[in-house]
Amino acid sequence: MILLLGGTSDSQNIAKAFNKNDINFYLSVVSDYGESLAKSVAENIIKGRLTKAEMVEFIQNHQVNKIVDATHPFAEEVSKNAISACEATATPYFRFERPSFSAEGILEVDSVKEACQKAQEYSGNIYLTTGSKTLGEFLKYLPKKAIIARVLPTTEVMNAIEKLGLTTSQVEAIKGPFSRTLNRELLLHNKAGVMITKESGNAGGFLEKVEACHDLNIPCIVLRRKKINYPNKFSTIEELVHQVKE
């Protein structure tokens, strides 16, 4: 049995490939939203953020003989827990990693604090497309009144944002995918002077954001991925499935 760590569109596609190849698996998701998506591709679903100890226990109690990590490129803690749990139980670890993608004219940074410092060099609203999980961290360094946050339209997310004190006019609750044109219109609508995003790869709509900023001559600040030494890393589902089946 395989434990597939999900949370991205990639994990949905991997689950479909596993089903097609008659590979039995558990799909791990964190949120209610992730669970709702998982139901269409997986029979065995577990919900909740797993610590290393919980992963070890799950491996031992559910005859897991492989872990496939298809979490978001910025979910570093989950990946580190999975690698450690695999080492502790001698379980093979496989990482599906979206190819990294850069673009001309972007402003690359290595931390939230650095991104916020750079953003405040520009006038206009600060358009955050970094998701809801790190929003509280951005609020430590940015003037709250200047923020427009684009997030998923789920009850879980909206409740979390309400606790952070943002007004409804500062929240854009909308689900992608976002085209270059739509990104451009949203930037204009929100009077954005700068965008902050993550280098999430093409599957995360990264290029469309960068192109929209380029069209409007708006600075695009990009958080680089953390460097993790992943064992057994793959960037195509076909190659991953082939290795997992062996």
Side-chain angles (χ1 to χ4, degrees):
M1 183 70 81
I2 290 172
L3 174 58
L4 171 59
L5 304 177
T8 61
S9 57
D10 300 317
S11 63
Q12 300 288 305
N13 292 327
I14 292 169
K16 291 175 184 176
F18 282 177
N19 289 329
K20 185 177 180 180
N21 286 272
D22 296 321
I23 298 173
N24 295 321
F25 65 97
Y26 292 96
L27 178 53
S28 171
V29 298
V30 173
S31 64
D32 293 338
Y33 176 68
E35 184 180 30
S36 68
L37 294 178
K39 288 178 180 178
S40 65
V41 295
E43 292 183 4
N44 304 306
I45 302 169
I46 56 173
K47 187 180 76 171
R49 196 178 302 277
L50 298 174
T51 64
K52 174 190 171 181
E54 288 168 338
M55 285 189 197
V56 168
E57 183 179 3
F58 193 87
I59 290 168
Q60 294 171 337
N61 293 342
H62 295 83
Q63 292 76 53
V64 171
N65 55 18
K66 295 182 181 76
I67 281 186
V68 174
D69 179 4
T71 56
H72 194 275
F74 283 83
E76 302 99 349
E77 196 62 33
V78 180
S79 293
K80 290 176 181 177
N81 286 342
I83 293 169
S84 295
C86 285
E87 290 173 348
T89 57
T91 303
Y93 169 95
F94 300 85
R95 169 65 175 170
F96 181 84
E97 177 81 341
R98 298 174 180 176
S100 187
F101 184 86
S102 189
E104 187 177 351
I106 62 176
L107 304 171
E108 294 184 302
V109 296
D110 292 312
S111 69
V112 168
K113 184 176 181 179
E114 187 182 355
C116 295
Q117 291 171 337
K118 181 67 67 175
Q120 292 182 80
E121 295 176 9
Y122 304 95
S123 59
N125 288 327
I126 300 167
Y127 194 63
L128 288 177
T129 64
T130 50
S132 60
K133 291 184 177 65
T134 55
L135 187 53
E137 192 173 353
F138 279 97
L139 288 171
K140 294 178 185 177
Y141 306 109
L142 290 175
K144 187 178 290 187
K145 63 182 181 181
I147 292 175
I148 304 292
R150 189 164 85 190
V151 298
L152 281 171
T154 68
T155 302
E156 183 180 8
V157 168
M158 297 310 295
N159 286 340
I161 288 177
E162 185 178 4
K163 292 177 183 177
L164 292 174
L166 293 181
T167 65
T168 54
S169 63
Q170 293 179 276
V171 180
E172 207 154 56
I174 182 172
K175 181 184 178 299
F178 302 93
S179 66
R180 176 177 184 168
T181 300
L182 181 54
N183 274 302
R184 188 169 61 238
E185 292 305 313
L186 291 172
L187 287 166
L188 286 170
H189 173 74
N190 288 290
K191 298 180 175 60
V194 59
M195 175 191 279
I196 303 178
T197 190
K198 294 177 177 178
E199 197 284 281
S200 55
N202 276 344
F206 175 70
L207 182 59
E208 289 79 5
K209 296 176 188 177
V210 173
E211 289 174 334
C213 287
H214 179 76
D215 290 345
L216 299 172
N217 197 28
I218 290 174
C220 185
I221 299 171
V222 178
L223 275 164
R224 294 187 187 99
R225 300 179 188 180
K226 293 287 194 326
K227 300 297 182 183
I228 297 177
N229 186 25
Y230 295 111
N232 298 322
K233 186 168 73 172
F234 304 94
S235 58
T236 69
I237 293 176
E238 294 76 15
E239 186 180 11
L240 172 67
V241 170
H242 175 73
Q243 291 297 320
V244 166
K245 289 176 69 176
E246 286 193 344

